[in-house]
Amino acid sequence: MRESMTFDVVIVGAGPAGLSAACRLMQQAQDKGEELTVCVVEKGSEVGAHILSGAIIEPRALNELFPNWKALGAPLSTEVTCDQVFLLNNGQSGSKIPNCLVPKTMHNHGNYVGSVGNLCRWLAEQAEQLGVEIFPGFAAANIIYGAEGQVSGIGTGDMGCDAQGNPKETYMPGMDLLAKYTIFSEGCRGHLGKELIAKYQLDEGKDAQHYGIGIKELWDIDASKHQPGLVLHGAGWPLKEAGASGGFFLYHAEDAQVVVGLITDLNYDNPHLSPFDEFQRMKHHPLIAQYLSGGKRVAYGARAITKGGFNALPKMSMPGALLLGCDAGTLNFSKIKGTHTAMKSGMVAAETLFAALMDAEAEGAEGGYDLESYGENFQASWVYDELYKSRNFGPLLHKYGTVLGGALNLIDQNICSLPFTVRDNNPDHSRLKLASQSAAIAYPKPDGQLSFDKPSSVFLSSTNHEENQPCHLRLRDSLIPLGDNLAKFDEPAQRYCPAGVYEIIEDGSGEKLFQINSQNCVHCKTCDIKDPAQNITWVAPEGGGGPNYPNM
């Protein structure tokens, strides 16, 4: 028997958007002497466990939410001291791009090198002090709809079921969390957000959404090589060899640590490409190796990035609910930043919701309306203006490549805004060419010093799932991987997954099998995005499962 609890607002996901919304709701309630009940559910074992970002953090939204954030001890102490952007020609050489030729959106003066995971932990502390209830380790498994089709809350997943869905001795039923309004802020490709977009046709008339996969490592390096606040970005090699696009980052954080990573745009067309192996290869470039050599890799993770920007933003309100942050796609890819925009989307949501709740209380109404005023308030905010000005950034790179697209972006961002909007309506999953028409890629074996294999990498993500539970990677048709994807694309899931979840193996008789190692899953959502048949659906596993990232 499932129990239920009722709140004014339920928030799904303790990321920057959800926690900022929670804090701003309670700030307003305190200012007005009102009482609100706000609950945040988080599928990670703790707040921040599933948060992974670069990250260079622009403090604009934080300045508005907590003007005294420094005095309150927010974990941002390493200000950017030097920006460098490179174009890598090959595995040995590269060219530094003069600062005047870098789009101004990529200038980081006044920003901070930090951990979004740690920032979220701090935001959660502020939210709890304001009276927000936070439930980590509880996965929002389904949406509860009301009699008139409105969102009425969410149900958390059952715990303690075996692989067939039968209760084990440890079985504990989930709970129904009901609310006047529900906020969905699950991050990129949220499985409930995906359902809402389809159900309410929120993307009608919008461009196709686009994604990248960001793979990141945290390294302890020699103190003599460490330059706190040094920021490196770049593009070109190795992705350009396979006709793919994306870019690398290397940030010098605090305590002699650097974060290094590679974003691979998921519109690539060569099914032989492996984003994981491209990243491992990239670290051998002298520009990167000079900092990492002799150091120690201490953490690993991966996460998809919603990068369609302004042109792909869906309608973010529906009856009884709002869709925020990277769940909607508010990341500004021209800045390679989404924390400040996600936070602002949450703050605008909180202000819209508080006004609606107060109006409903005055009128004796229950809520559940489509708060279309959120769209108007969002449009009146600086985040809308920022995203609009960068609307052409991704499409220009997709259509014209790194060099020409970069030059056009320089004009668009630094000189004069282009008087038209460039479109890219080809979904990422539709871009793969046949394996027989694509060049094979021979990746070098990892050396165990700069480059590593997937098993050792997944180990450093501290990923853990109870093995005897229902598989959270659902196949619409179990015959497609071997019957279609293998023949056409050499089953690309073997390569686009950065955690070794998908394998083609042979049984004792030599027959091929498609094996899903779901216990390895780092919740990046790439399979849900890139599968050419759109055959894989990611759903939430038991709460608390997945990676347990430290300061990622």
Side-chain angles (χ1 to χ4, degrees):
M1 183 71 179
R2 292 176 67 94
E3 296 182 1
S4 65
M5 297 176 66
T6 301
F7 300 87
D8 290 313
V9 179
V10 167
I11 300 173
V12 181
L19 290 170
S20 296
C23 289
R24 190 72 190 103
L25 274 167
M26 300 306 280
Q27 286 174 341
Q28 293 174 100
Q30 287 190 1
D31 289 345
K32 299 294 185 181
E34 299 286 345
E35 290 189 6
L36 282 184
T37 55
V38 177
C39 162
V40 179
V41 291
E42 164 57 40
K43 64 183 174 65
S45 60
E46 65 171 2
V47 173
H50 289 178
I51 298 292
L52 183 145
S53 182
I56 301 295
I57 298 171
E58 183 176 316
R60 184 174 186 178
L62 184 60
N63 290 338
E64 295 178 7
L65 185 61
F66 292 105
N68 60 335
W69 58 266
K70 290 185 179 180
L72 290 173
L76 296 180
S77 59
T78 305
E79 193 165 355
V80 174
T81 56
C82 180
D83 253 331
Q84 298 178 7
V85 179
F86 294 84
L87 184 63
L88 302 187
N89 305 315
N90 51 49
Q92 293 298 318
S93 68
S95 303
K96 184 179 178 182
I97 300 175
N99 195 52
C100 63
L101 297 181
V102 175
K104 63 182 180 182
T105 54
M106 295 186 67
H107 296 180
N108 286 293
H109 176 75
N111 297 332
Y112 291 81
V113 179
S115 160
V116 179
N118 285 342
L119 178 62
C120 287
R121 291 180 177 98
W122 180 83
L123 284 171
E125 292 174 1
Q126 309 313 305
E128 287 181 323
Q129 290 174 17
L130 288 164
V132 176
E133 295 186 62
I134 300 179
F135 301 147
F138 289 88
N142 63 279
I143 301 168
I144 298 171
Y145 297 102
E148 298 181 6
Q150 78 277 18
V151 175
S152 296
I154 57 97
T156 65
D158 294 344
M159 306 279 281
C161 292
D162 65 18
Q164 288 70 46
N166 301 312
K168 299 184 293 190
E169 290 183 0
T170 56
Y171 175 74
M172 183 174 66
M175 292 188 66
D176 293 338
L177 303 179
L178 307 177
K180 296 174 182 175
Y181 290 100
T182 306
I183 288 175
F184 293 88
S185 51
E186 309 158 279
C188 174
R189 195 73 166 195
H191 75 293
L192 299 182
K194 179 181 172 184
E195 176 183 327
L196 292 168
I197 290 171
K199 178 178 176 64
Y200 294 106
Q201 299 179 321
L202 303 177
D203 58 352
E204 185 176 6
K206 307 295 183 179
D207 286 7
Q209 188 59 267
H210 294 283
Y211 302 89
I213 168 121
I215 303 177
K216 172 185 173 180
E217 292 175 349
L218 181 65
W219 284 66
D220 290 335
I221 67 168
D222 190 321
S224 65
K225 301 178 181 180
H226 187 241
Q227 303 175 48
L230 174 62
V231 167
L232 278 68
H233 287 110
W237 184 88
L239 290 171
K240 72 172 186 178
E241 289 189 352
S245 60
F248 72 84
F249 57 89
L250 190 147
Y251 308 147
H252 288 243
E254 55 195 15
D255 300 327
Q257 287 193 328
V258 298
V259 295
V260 60
L262 178 69
I263 298 171
T264 302
D265 294 338
L266 288 177
N267 66 339
Y268 67 82
D269 60 17
N270 187 335
H272 301 299
L273 184 142
S274 164
F276 175 88
D277 291 296
E278 294 287 331
F279 171 50
Q280 299 305 318
R281 183 162 61 149
M282 181 211 79
K283 288 181 291 177
H284 286 273
H285 194 283
L287 177 67
I288 307 297
Q290 65 176 317
Y291 299 109
L292 302 184
S293 293
K296 179 182 179 182
R297 187 178 70 146
V298 295
Y300 166 88
R303 188 71 171 94
I305 299 165
T306 315
K307 55 181 285 290
F310 180 86
N311 299 338
L313 274 180
K315 181 175 182 286
M316 290 183 275
S317 67
M318 67 222 76
L322 295 174
L323 188 69
L324 306 181
C326 289
D327 219 351
T330 60
L331 180 139
N332 184 347
F333 193 63
S334 73
K335 289 186 173 183
I336 325 177
K337 295 177 185 64
T339 302
H340 69 296
T341 52
M343 290 179 67
K344 184 61 176 178
S345 75
M347 294 158 64
V348 175
E351 290 157 6
T352 305
L353 277 173
F354 186 76
L357 289 167
M358 293 303 99
D359 289 345
E361 181 179 311
E363 297 170 4
E366 290 297 318
Y369 302 108
D370 186 338
L371 297 179
E372 295 189 351
S373 57
Y374 176 73
E376 299 168 3
N377 295 338
F378 185 83
Q379 189 168 348
S381 72
W382 56 256
V383 68
Y384 179 95
D385 183 59
E386 179 178 312
L387 294 176
Y388 178 78
K389 289 179 179 177
S390 297
R391 69 193 184 282
N392 290 326
F393 192 90
L396 285 172
L397 291 176
H398 288 178
K399 284 181 175 291
Y400 302 112
T402 300
V403 177
L404 179 56
L408 291 170
N409 271 319
L410 178 68
I411 296 171
D412 191 36
Q413 301 299 319
N414 288 23
I415 301 174
C416 62
S417 178
L418 298 178
F420 51 83
T421 298
V422 183
R423 305 285 181 183
D424 181 2
N425 264 315
N426 295 310
D428 294 336
H429 72 267
S430 69
R431 296 295 299 271
L432 286 179
K433 296 179 179 178
L434 297 177
S436 59
Q437 298 173 347
S438 305
I441 304 174
Y443 290 107
K445 291 183 178 180
D447 66 355
Q449 297 179 25
L450 292 176
S451 50
F452 305 88
D453 59 18
K454 286 182 180 178
S456 65
S457 300
V458 174
F459 177 79
L460 286 181
S461 71
S462 299
T463 293
N464 180 61
H465 294 91
E466 173 64 44
E467 291 195 27
N468 187 20
Q469 66 169 287
C471 181
H472 66 280
L473 302 161
R474 309 279 177 82
L475 300 182
R476 175 170 49 84
D477 184 342
S478 63
L479 299 179
I480 284 178
L482 297 180
D484 198 40
N485 282 354
L486 183 61
K488 291 181 178 179
F489 308 109
D490 193 28
E491 186 42 88
Q494 301 175 89
R495 291 171 294 280
Y496 61 58
C497 173
V501 170
Y502 302 99
E503 292 183 292
I504 303 293
I505 63 172
E506 292 186 0
D507 63 14
S509 63
E511 183 177 352
K512 286 185 170 60
L513 301 173
F514 184 64
Q515 180 167 290
I516 301 177
N517 306 309
S518 58
Q519 67 275 11
N520 285 5
C521 179
V522 295
H523 298 197
C524 74
K525 313 289 183 70
T526 305
C527 56
D528 194 294
I529 297 164
K530 189 60 177 174
D531 182 75
Q534 290 294 275
N535 186 47
I536 302 173
T537 298
W538 190 101
V539 300
E542 284 190 1
N548 284 280
Y549 295 134
N551 52 325
M552 293 283 271

